[in-house]
Amino acid sequence: MPALVDTTIRLLGQEPLAGRVPTAAVLQLAGILDGAGFGLLEISGGGDFEMAVRRGVESPWERIRALKARTKTPLGMALRGRFLVGSRPVDGDFVRRFVASAAENGIDVFRLHDPMNDVSNLREAAEAIEAAGREFDAGLVYSRGKTGETDTLVEQARKLRALGAARVVLHDPTGSLQPHRARELVGRVGAASGLPVGVYCQGAAGNALAAALEAARAGADLIACAVYPVALSLHRVSGEGLAQALSGLGLECAVDVDALWRASDLVDEHIGDAPVTPLAPRIAVRAAEHSLPAGLVAAIDHHLRASTAGDRIDEVLEELERIRTEAGEPPLAAPIAQILASQALLHVLSARRYQTVVDELRSLLTGGYGTPPGPVDPTVRRAVELLSADTPEEPQALSDLREEAAGLASSEEELLLLGLFGDEAEALLQTIRARSGGEDVLAGGSVDQARAERIREIVRIVQETGVGEVTIEEADLRVTVRRTDDRRDLSVPAAPGPLEVEEPELEPVSPLADGLVRVEAPMVGTFYRAPQPGAPPFVEEGEPVATGQTLCILEAMKLMNEVKSDLDAVVRAIHVDNAQPVEFGQLLFELEPMNGRPLDAL
């Protein structure tokens, strides 16, 4: 009987869905999934950290802690070998400290693959995972070409038991794993490694589900899935469909399908009916035809359109395949696929090959990232080496960052973000510093982590028992958690407590007699008008706003919850100053519905 691992929360934190589901709803979703019977909830990975840094709103470490506080199911994280969650390799000390931080924050299982399928690159992270007392699941990347040859993967699988792996996970980032190959690989990889085998499949036209079912019939003990709206948007395996299909095959799993449908309803409220751009049919067709990750094809298309060369996408995809062959057929997993695509864009747009070489490709061709499955073209290698006599870039060392980061990174977690993402992380760190001053903010006052955990527990008591009000006093701290029943006539139900927001939407609204709509605070927190210090406000008085547009951010315990408009309207009044603490139900905005009027009538 295979166990199922849910990847919904991880996928909601990365492109193209990042930011569509507010943090409060993600926490509510975690509670539903926690009770659904999954063997593992995979909640974070490289894409999540990258998007958290890029958006500059919420620390990825805070999100992991918040999810851990709400769940009992083991939590998982996907790592890219020595790249961890970034696009540059780091040194052994950096790897050890990152894994230790992730384990301390609540990660129980690390799914670790090397983007080059060179399992020797997993050794340092494997040792760190063992030292942290967590489970190490070793990933092997499957993609078309030499990377997907059974003998190549079996050869790497034989080395994994010695590294301390508890399981081998076949990871298919391109959707090219066919059902018959999935069945063959599960059997042969399991026999070669002596370990259980899991599968992470994706692909359009039902291929992913078919591959997952064949893997289960071959004895796979772990299969990845996501709730239906996410699976449909990103061509993943639907947990609802997978559980029912396994049951029909006599391979019963412990997942509660009714719970998954409740989770789907919650996610669907926020994803809505708008198409997910990276998987538009034109993109999905080319991704399937060329066996490429759909997100990669979408990024290439975006760059070409920005260069007024949108009609040259097929040239770039063909050039990408040629470069991949010259580079030794590395797997098309992040960040290797992005490196190859960047070089392909340079070749097509400049009409010259290897006149300019991106630094990362130079490192790849000269062995800086490990050994690829096939031979590197010697002519290309020589050409690249002649272009620059520079010494290959050394892996990022954490010790080198400490003096540079003084005053910016106040903890090792923040130092790790700075080391992985460089200047890109500075905006997020400055936002964290400006908002919290290094302390946790709760209801307008400063509390330490121990007190915060006690307050969370009080909130849960109020939510679960029906108690009307609880007050706790300790030294100079006094906190009251009150259930407010007289607000239940609002169009969105009111959240009963200040921290643990259980409602899927954050923008309760109620009409006034003059036709204006009130937007009230759905939680206790700190009000921010802009995404980060110095940035323009989300909205100004007199401006039109569209349904779903962000009006402000409410922060509670460093979790940034976006409050969005429920309707097309004009902002008539803003009642709270920036960085001001607000109470539950406090009036934030007054909006005038447009009622179908054209914008030029405003």
Side-chain angles (χ1 to χ4, degrees), residues 6 25 34 85 95 126 230 266 277 367 521 533:
D6 182 82
D34 185 50
V85 294
V95 170
V230 173
L266 175 58
T277 303

Side-chain angles (χ1 to χ4, degrees), residues 88-173:
R88 297 177 294 177
V90 295
D91 72 359
D93 178 57
F94 199 115
V95 170
R96 285 189 290 274
R97 291 177 181 272
F98 182 94
V99 169
S101 291
E104 289 171 6
N105 279 295
I107 298 300
D108 303 292
V109 179
F110 292 85
R111 178 169 62 92
L112 179 66
H113 70 270
D114 176 60
M116 298 286 283
N117 259 0
D118 182 352
V119 299
S120 64
N121 283 337
L122 305 182
R123 186 174 303 279
E124 291 170 337
E127 292 172 351
I129 295 167
E130 181 180 5
R134 300 299 192 265
E135 181 179 316
F136 162 37
D137 288 356
L140 292 177
V141 183
Y142 177 93
S143 60
R144 183 176 54 81
K146 190 170 180 59
T147 303
E149 292 179 1
T150 302
D151 290 344
T152 301
L153 293 173
V154 166
E155 179 183 352
Q156 297 296 321
R158 289 195 177 100
K159 307 172 186 178
L160 295 176
R161 180 183 282 276
L163 293 180
R167 174 185 291 105
V168 182
V169 177
L170 296 171
H171 169 47
D172 171 27

